Each structure stands twice: as C-alpha cells, then as structure tokens.
Amino acid sequence: MSSFETICEELKITHTKLVAVSKTKPVEEIMPVYHKGQRIFGENKVQEMVDKQEQMPKDIEWHLIGHLQTNKVKYIAPFVSMIHSIDSLKLLNEVEKQAAKNNRVINILLQMHVANEETKFGLDQTELIELMDYYLSNPKNYAHVNIVGIMGMATNTNDTNQIRNEFKQLKGIFQFIKNSYFINKKDFAEISMGMSSDYTIAIEEGSTMVRIGSLLFGHR
Ligand SMILES: *Cc1c(COP(=O)(O)O)cnc(C)c1O
C-alpha cells in the first residue's frame, strides 16, 4: 500500500486527478482519506454508493466507475457527479432522463473498449460513431448530460508494452472524438485511465484522471 500523500505528490506534477476507489471498503476506512483532503471517490456498485453517500459528508464528488444498468440510474441521479461507464445510447438516454427529472447536469465519460478481454465493457469504434451521430443529430435533447471525456481499462497483464499500447489507443480515440465532434468544447478534456497496477504508464500516455483503489485502501 502506498501512502495517499505519496500518490498525491506524484499526481500533482502532471496535474492528474485522483479518483479514490473506495468500493467494498467501509465508511470508517474511507473517512481518514477524506480527512486528508480527498473529495473524489469512486464506486462500482449503485447500492453501495447510495449507502455511502447518505452516511458521508455532502461535499464529496461521487464517481460511478463500474458497469451501470439502466434501471438503476434513478438511484444515483440525485447526487452523482460523474459517470465513467456510459457504454450505450440507451444508457446515455436514461441518464439524460433521470438528470432532467432531478434538474441536474451529470458529467459523463464514454467508456471505450480497448482491452484484449471479452469481459471488459465499453463501446467499440462503430458503436461510438453511432452514439455520437445520434447525440449530435439533436443535442438539445441532451441538456442534462455533459460529455467530458472517455474512460478505458487496459488488459490485466504483466506485459507493460501491451498496456502502454492500449493506453495509446485510448488517447488516440480521445483525440479522434475531440477533433471530429468537440473541437470547440473546452470541457471535453478528460481521459480516465490507470488503476493501482498501471497508473504510472497511464499518466505517461496522457491520463488526466486515475482510478486508484487497492494502493490506497489495501487489498479487497
Ligand atoms: C476497482 C476498479 C478500479 C481500481 O482498481 P485498483 O486495482 O484497486 O486500483 C479502477 N477502475 C475500475 C473500473 C474499477 O472497477
């Protein structure tokens, strides 16, 4: 386990944001990191995030990082600050609907599939283009979602060349989306990539936001 302070020092140099991934950890283990100044916490399960949000200070920014089912969006829409895992038009439409009901704007990232693993969620290039074409055919219908970037996960492997290549691919996809659709949108700026095992590579390859769990809170 690395200390919170050490990780923060490293991230400060490159202006990379930290999502402290607190999934499976109880509130009393998360609060010390809050007291050290951390305000962005990431969870991958809706019910767990709702429970923690109720118990913890209200100035926390909650980020949903795991796969999200459309029928559960309504539970987090009142408070979630960013959803990293938008992987279908259907999900995007549901987030828009629930954010509107709550009179909010929810920041979202498009989750892109690059890992060489069947099990990892995310859009492929064709699905991305379909989603973007639909979104841009009537952007007025999307007043309550703010697309601020992309998220991705590298393959779980010891092959650092492969990991680096996948992060390079994510950066390329980000540039493609920026140039094709959001050239004048300043806040389309986030590349959420890098976890405990690969965040240093992710930063070298242009990550703006790393999602670190076990290194901060210990093994799950
Ligand atoms: C659990 C999780 C993380 C953090 O993983 P660690 O290896 O504990 O740092 C990051 N991103 C996602 C999507 C996760 O589910």
Side-chain angles (χ1 to χ4, degrees):
M1 226 174 23
S2 282
S3 80
F4 172 70
E5 289 83 356
T6 312
I7 293 170
C8 286
E9 281 303 309
E10 272 181 273
L11 299 181
K12 214 159 112 187
I13 299 165
T14 47
H15 305 283
T16 313
K17 295 178 205 76
L18 172 64
V19 179
V21 178
S22 47
K23 64 189 188 194
T24 77
K25 299 294 175 183
V27 169
E28 55 279 17
E29 285 180 39
I30 309 168
M31 279 309 289
V33 174
Y34 173 87
H35 287 305
K36 287 175 183 171
Q38 180 64 21
R39 290 296 179 271
I40 306 176
F41 289 89
E43 291 284 335
N44 70 338
K45 295 215 167 81
V46 164
Q47 189 56 53
E48 190 176 344
M49 189 162 93
V50 169
D51 290 345
K52 287 174 180 171
Q53 192 271 338
E54 283 169 0
Q55 296 173 57
M56 291 177 68
K58 296 302 169 257
D59 62 344
I60 290 175
E61 287 180 36
W62 291 99
H63 286 211
L64 200 281
I65 61 171
H67 183 65
L68 178 58
Q69 289 173 282
T70 45
N71 63 352
K72 293 192 175 164
V73 175
K74 57 179 178 284
Y75 302 116
I76 59 171
F79 67 89
V80 70
S81 113
M82 192 180 290
I83 299 172
H84 291 227
S85 45
I86 299 297
D87 60 0
S88 70
L89 184 61
K90 188 174 159 228
L91 183 57
L92 182 70
N93 289 342
E94 181 63 14
V95 174
E96 167 59 34
K97 182 177 149 194
Q98 296 299 333
K101 269 194 190 167
N102 286 277
N103 208 5
R104 299 187 67 228
V105 176
I106 297 175
N107 291 321
I108 64 127
L109 301 177
L110 301 172
Q111 181 174 356
M112 298 304 306
H113 181 93
V114 289
N116 192 7
E117 286 167 20
E118 287 289 320
T119 50
K120 292 203 167 141
F121 293 101
L123 299 156
D124 63 27
Q125 301 264 12
T126 312
E127 293 165 332
L128 168 72
I129 290 167
E130 274 171 19
L131 181 148
M132 284 308 305
D133 285 348
Y134 194 86
Y135 167 84
L136 289 172
S137 68
N138 207 339
K140 286 203 185 73
N141 289 345
Y142 294 98
H144 304 89
V145 288
N146 188 24
I147 303 181
V148 296
I150 68 164
M151 183 271 241
M153 286 163 99
T155 303
N156 186 10
T157 171
N158 292 324
D159 182 350
T160 53
N161 281 328
Q162 184 179 350
I163 293 170
R164 189 176 295 281
N165 276 330
E166 290 171 354
F167 288 149
K168 279 188 202 296
Q169 276 183 58
L170 284 169
K171 174 80 192 244
I173 294 166
F174 171 83
Q175 284 301 346
F176 166 78
I177 300 174
K178 178 99 190 155
N179 296 339
S180 313
Y181 306 108
F182 292 132
I183 195 76
N184 292 317
K185 182 170 157 60
K186 277 215 175 65
D187 54 3
F188 185 85
E190 303 293 353
I191 306 177
S192 166
M193 63 185 187
M195 329 202 320
S196 291
S197 59
D198 56 19
Y199 79 96
T200 48
I201 306 174
I203 291 169
E204 286 164 9
E205 297 305 331
S207 172
T208 65
M209 200 177 254
V210 292
R211 310 176 308 270
I212 298 183
S214 47
L215 214 51
L216 283 174
F217 298 106
H219 283 293
R220 291 180 295 270

